[in-house]
């Protein structure tokens, strides 16, 4: 009799354990998004959160719901880009020396001095360098694809740029350390509410977190950072807004062909007016080229996204 009771208890315990294990398994492997025949699971979202926090430490204090949303959108963008890349190449792979340069750019932003330091740092987030290498490779191959497809559409008037340089460098050059958020609204009536929502997010958290959450620009994954930009490189609309602001201030929404742009002045510095015209011209050409290619990147991405079957669960 006691043996039978023991077997019954064991049976109950075993089934209870299986029930818990099944629930845990289903949670860990829950499908969050389906893109055509590919899926993004809750495990993928967790890994993406770790990745974004590792490279953007300022977002680690966001609430779980917000982090999940940021990670989901980041991973969705990456998967869409990856699918398109695979229509042109068989493997996601870069030359190692180029990949190492890109990796160095990433770990330098978080004040690490070597790749080995970066690898050890990633262990704190349960991340391996191979994961980072793949993500960086996807972004680089996407940029290469956009360049190959749309570079012929880039229009640069060198003589006009030379005249701009000569005029704008009459005095000491003002330089802005900028971060951006690019966002869209379905109609202009929603602009004020959307801008207010973003600014409230910035005030509550920080600009970097808001960029990760709201920005559709490729810079969103690094918190919207644009780096140092010379005032002479900016168009008049942006320059007119920035000259009214101080360090730490944020612009009103600025209309662009790809949506509305918000800029934050992270810092300001001045450089002497001595300059090499050809070097300045090359820098300005690169900036104008990147601006036009970034516009094409957003348009191209949105076009691809519309043609995919994307279901969220």
């Amino acid at each position: 009799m006691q043996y039978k009771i023991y077997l019954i208890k064991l049976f109950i315990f075993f089934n209870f354990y299986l029930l818990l294990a099944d629930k845990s398994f289903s949670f860990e492997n829950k499908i969050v998004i389906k893109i055509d025949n590919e899926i993004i699971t809750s495990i993928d979202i967790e890994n993406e959160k770790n990745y974004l926090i590792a490279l953007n430490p300022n977002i680690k204090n966001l609430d779980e719901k917000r982090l999940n949303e940021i990670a989901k959108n980041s991973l969705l963008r990456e998967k869409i880009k990856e699918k398109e890349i695979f229509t042109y190449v068989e493997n996601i792979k870069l030359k190692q020396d180029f990949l190492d340069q890109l990796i160095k750019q990433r770990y330098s932003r978080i004040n690490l001095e070597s790749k080995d330091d970066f690898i050890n740092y990633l262990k704190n987030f349960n991340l391996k360098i191979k994961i980072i290498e793949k993500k960086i490779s996807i972004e680089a191959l996407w940029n290469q694809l956009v360049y190959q497809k749309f570079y012929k559409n880039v229009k640069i008037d060198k003589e006009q740029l030379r005249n701009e340089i000569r005029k704008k460098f009459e005095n000491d050059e003002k330089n802005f350390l900028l971060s951006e958020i690019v966002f869209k609204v379905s109609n202009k009536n929603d602009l004020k509410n959307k801008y207010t929502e973003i600014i409230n997010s910035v005030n509550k958290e920080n600009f970097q977190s808001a960029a990760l959450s709201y920005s559709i620009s490729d810079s969103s994954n690094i918190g919207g950072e644009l780096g140092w930009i010379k005032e002479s490189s900016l168009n008049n609309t942006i320059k007119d807004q920035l000259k009214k602001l101080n360090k730490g201030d944020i612009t009103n929404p600025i209309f662009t062909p790809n949506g509305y742009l918000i800029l934050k002045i992270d810092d300001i510095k001045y450089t002497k007016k001595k300059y090499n015209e050809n070097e300045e011209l090359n820098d300005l050409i690169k900036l104008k080229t990147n601006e036009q290619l970034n516009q094409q990147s957003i348009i191209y991405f949105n076009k691809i996204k519309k043609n995919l079957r994307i279901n969220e669960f």
Side-chain angles (χ1 to χ4, degrees):
M1 182 67 178
Q2 288 181 343
Y3 181 70
K4 288 184 177 179
I5 293 173
Y6 171 76
L7 287 178
I8 291 171
K9 288 181 177 179
L10 183 62
F11 177 79
I12 292 172
F13 172 79
F14 183 70
N15 280 279
F16 180 68
Y17 173 80
L18 286 178
L19 181 62
L20 289 177
D22 182 64
K23 286 184 178 179
S24 176
F25 181 82
S26 64
F27 169 76
E28 291 177 355
N29 293 276
K30 179 180 177 183
I31 297 174
V32 179
I33 303 175
K34 189 172 183 182
I35 310 167
D36 285 346
N37 295 322
E38 292 192 31
I39 61 171
I40 295 175
T41 69
S42 52
I43 290 179
D44 296 326
I45 299 296
E46 287 298 315
N47 290 335
E48 187 70 8
K49 279 161 48 178
N50 288 338
Y51 165 71
L52 292 173
I53 291 171
L55 296 184
N56 303 274
N58 288 341
I59 72 166
K60 64 184 177 182
N61 294 324
L62 295 181
D63 63 72
E64 196 69 14
K65 183 178 179 182
R66 188 71 178 281
L67 276 174
N68 281 334
E69 191 66 22
I70 290 172
K72 183 181 70 174
N73 291 334
S74 174
L75 201 51
L76 178 61
R77 287 195 298 268
E78 182 183 277
K79 290 294 183 183
I80 291 172
K81 290 177 180 180
E82 184 180 18
K83 281 177 69 69
E84 182 67 9
I85 289 167
F86 272 127
T87 63
Y88 296 92
V89 300
E90 294 182 358
N91 298 302
I92 301 292
K93 191 172 183 180
L94 299 176
K95 290 183 178 180
Q96 192 60 46
D97 57 345
F98 179 49
L99 179 58
D100 286 340
Q101 290 178 26
L102 297 178
I103 291 172
K104 184 176 182 180
Q105 290 176 9
R106 293 298 174 96
Y107 67 66
S108 296
R109 287 195 185 102
I110 50 176
N111 300 318
L112 296 176
E113 296 184 356
S114 70
K115 188 175 180 179
D116 287 339
D117 289 342
F118 189 41
I119 290 171
N120 289 328
Y121 171 78
L122 293 174
K123 291 177 182 177
N124 298 323
F125 302 89
N126 197 29
L127 294 170
K128 295 182 178 180
I129 191 65
K130 290 295 182 185
I131 294 174
I132 309 301
E133 288 178 342
K134 182 180 178 182
K135 286 180 171 295
I136 291 174
S137 297
I138 289 171
E139 198 62 37
L141 288 171
W142 170 264
N143 291 337
Q144 288 178 14
L145 179 58
V146 170
Y147 182 89
Q148 290 167 4
K149 277 183 166 292
F150 302 109
Y151 180 73
K152 61 183 181 293
N153 297 334
V154 173
K155 306 296 182 186
I156 302 292
D157 186 334
K158 291 186 179 181
E159 195 55 38
Q160 180 182 342
L161 295 183
R162 284 188 186 277
N163 291 333
E164 288 182 16
I165 290 169
R166 290 164 184 165
K167 181 178 179 181
K168 293 176 181 179
F169 275 80
E170 291 175 350
N171 300 311
D172 286 354
E173 178 69 15
K174 193 174 186 180
N175 299 263
F176 297 98
L177 183 62
L178 298 176
S179 297
E180 69 169 355
I181 294 174
V182 180
F183 67 96
K184 283 183 175 290
V185 290
S186 54
N187 61 72
K188 199 170 181 179
N189 294 330
D190 296 331
L191 176 59
K192 183 177 180 181
N193 289 336
K194 190 67 175 179
Y195 177 71
T196 301
E197 179 184 340
I198 293 172
I199 294 301
N200 287 339
S201 174
V202 171
N203 292 334
K204 183 179 178 182
E205 296 151 359
N206 51 62
F207 194 90
Q208 185 182 56
S209 300
L212 282 161
S213 184
Y214 291 100
S215 183
I216 62 172
S217 173
D218 289 341
S219 67
S220 62
N221 278 346
I222 53 173
E225 293 179 14
L226 294 176
W228 284 102
I229 297 178
K230 297 173 182 178
E231 186 179 41
S232 58
S233 301
L234 301 169
N235 67 43
N236 289 332
T237 302
I238 293 175
K239 191 167 63 173
D240 287 344
Q241 284 236 19
L242 292 181
K243 70 182 182 181
K244 305 171 188 174
L245 304 178
N246 299 311
K247 177 181 175 180
D249 290 343
I250 297 172
T251 66
N252 291 320
I254 301 167
F255 176 78
T256 74
N258 296 307
Y260 287 92
L261 170 69
I262 300 173
L263 291 171
K264 177 177 179 287
I265 302 178
D266 297 312
D267 204 352
I268 299 172
K269 68 180 180 181
Y270 292 86
T271 55
K272 294 296 181 182
K273 63 180 180 180
K274 287 184 178 180
Y275 67 97
N276 182 303
E277 186 173 296
N278 288 330
E279 287 180 3
E280 295 297 332
L281 178 63
N282 289 334
D283 288 345
L284 194 51
I285 288 172
K286 288 178 185 176
L287 180 68
K288 299 298 182 183
T289 299
N290 288 337
E291 284 178 354
Q292 293 183 39
L293 289 175
N294 189 48
Q295 291 175 2
Q296 294 292 339
S297 175
I298 294 172
I299 294 168
Y300 183 35
F301 177 86
N302 288 333
K303 184 178 179 181
I304 295 166
K305 186 177 179 181
K306 284 181 181 179
N307 293 327
L308 296 172
R309 296 189 306 275
I310 300 174
N311 296 306
E312 297 191 28
F313 301 94

